[in-house]
Amino acid sequence: MNIKESIESVRKLFRTDSDPFPIDYQAVETLRIKYLGRKGLVAGLFSRMNDVSDKERPIAGKLLNEIKQEISSVFNSQTGSSKSREKSHGESDYSLPGLTFPVGHVHPLQQTMDDIKSIFMNIGFSVAYGPEIDDDFHNFGALNFPPEHPARDMQDTFFIDSETVLRTHTSNVQIHLMEEKDPPLRYIIPGRVYRNEAISFKSYCLFHQVEGLYVDKNVSFADQKGILEYFVKRMFGANTKMRFRPSYFPFTEPSAEVDIWSEKRSQWLEILGCGMVDPEVFKSVDIDTDIWHGFAFGMGIERICMLKYGIDDIRLLYQGDMRFLEQF
Ligand code: PHE
């Protein structure tokens, strides 16, 4: 392309790029840099002057100055140049558009967590937190994982030393709460948990759970079912199909897992584990099992978040990629 053609093509490109002219401050700057920046398209045209023949140079120079003028004047008229301010004798021009600043987004995991919290807080649960580094007793022993029993292998554990672990679930906080407070108890416990798992599209070495603990007189599995059904319908919509499937956890008896039906994938997907608090657990925290009964549940936040927003790779939640995050 000769220089004249190149100038013409930059002009055309600018006309498309600047119509409509961006309102957002950041976008205006990006546009300015693209054309008028030190390494911008206009500077690029100027740098080609050396290759232009003596005969053509005066015309090319004139055209170049014109396009630079033309582009600058669009910026000036669109953004209120210093000249237009001078014209108004230093007074503010209230007709100028305001500057818009980029706004941050709440991370999808935090959004999911906030939704879950508000659903349970609406029905009388309080929020509690507990330690992420804990002893074997709170993470395993008091939850009726027998020592050296293969049940501990259910969760691949990061050990700090032989007695101390990065918690593998938020269930450790069930124990802290029951040690510290007298029933009745009605809590949800959000937090991070850690497992030594191979990282892939579906598992990560750290993730989030929300634990629930409900202890009172006359609590039955039917109460638990009612509350979890209410939760699922609020979280995923009133028509969501769900099922309770018998399962096993050392700290609940009977135990179940809840699946919801995914129309998109035509399959059941597990979202939480739950069950009636095992009497052995109550014994380890000195709660009288003749008076008190309870249920507990634990759900994976990444799972729920991915289902809700149709995300198919868990690692996206941890990479901080703006192209992903800006969609929420
Ligand atoms: N702690 C269990 C897990 O991480 C979930 C659970 C919590 C199950 C409470 C039952 C009751 O898989």
Side-chain angles (χ1 to χ4, degrees), residues 99-233:
L99 297 181
T100 49
F101 295 96
V103 184
H105 297 248
V106 178
H107 193 281
L109 271 181
Q110 188 63 47
Q111 281 181 37
T112 310
M113 199 93 105
D114 291 346
D115 289 347
I116 297 173
K117 274 199 273 189
S118 89
I119 293 172
F120 282 104
M121 283 161 78
N122 275 331
I123 50 172
F125 282 76
S126 306
V127 179
Y129 297 92
E132 290 177 23
I133 299 176
D134 213 345
D135 51 32
D136 186 276
F137 176 76
H138 289 88
N139 195 77
F140 292 122
L143 289 162
N144 196 34
F145 285 80
E148 311 305 331
H149 189 278
R152 285 177 194 237
D153 291 344
M154 275 171 82
Q155 305 175 344
D156 307 294
T157 310
F158 284 116
F159 283 88
I160 290 181
D161 56 43
S162 63
E163 273 304 299
T164 320
V165 299
L166 291 183
R167 69 174 173 197
T168 58
H169 50 188
T170 41
S171 302
N172 67 327
V173 189
Q174 286 189 36
I175 304 301
H176 287 286
L177 284 171
M178 292 192 284
E179 283 174 333
E180 284 158 25
K181 298 179 201 291
D182 294 325
L185 304 170
R186 196 182 294 180
Y187 282 98
I188 54 163
I189 305 127
R192 286 182 182 204
V193 304
Y194 302 83
R195 290 189 198 174
N196 191 2
E197 277 174 8
I199 291 171
S200 74
F201 71 95
K202 61 176 181 184
S203 57
Y204 203 65
C205 50
L206 90 92
F207 56 99
H208 295 74
Q209 291 187 329
V210 171
E211 189 86 7
L213 177 67
Y214 190 120
V215 181
D216 209 334
K217 296 170 184 164
N218 303 318
V219 182
S220 71
F221 199 91
D223 297 319
Q224 148 137 299
K225 248 187 118 177
I227 281 187
L228 292 176
E229 255 171 44
Y230 170 81
F231 164 72
V232 166
K233 308 261 144 134

Side-chain angles (χ1 to χ4, degrees), residues 36 42 46 63-73:
L36 301 175
V42 172
F46 271 99
L63 289 174
L64 268 176
N65 284 328
E66 273 171 16
I67 190 175
K68 189 173 175 190
Q69 267 294 304
E70 181 184 323
I71 294 180
S72 310
S73 74

Side-chain angles (χ1 to χ4, degrees), residues 240-257:
T240 313
K241 271 198 262 172
M242 65 185 288
R243 70 176 183 192
F244 284 74
R245 179 168 41 78
S247 184
Y248 172 77
F249 300 100
F251 38 94
T252 48
E253 182 59 35
S255 305
E257 280 170 315

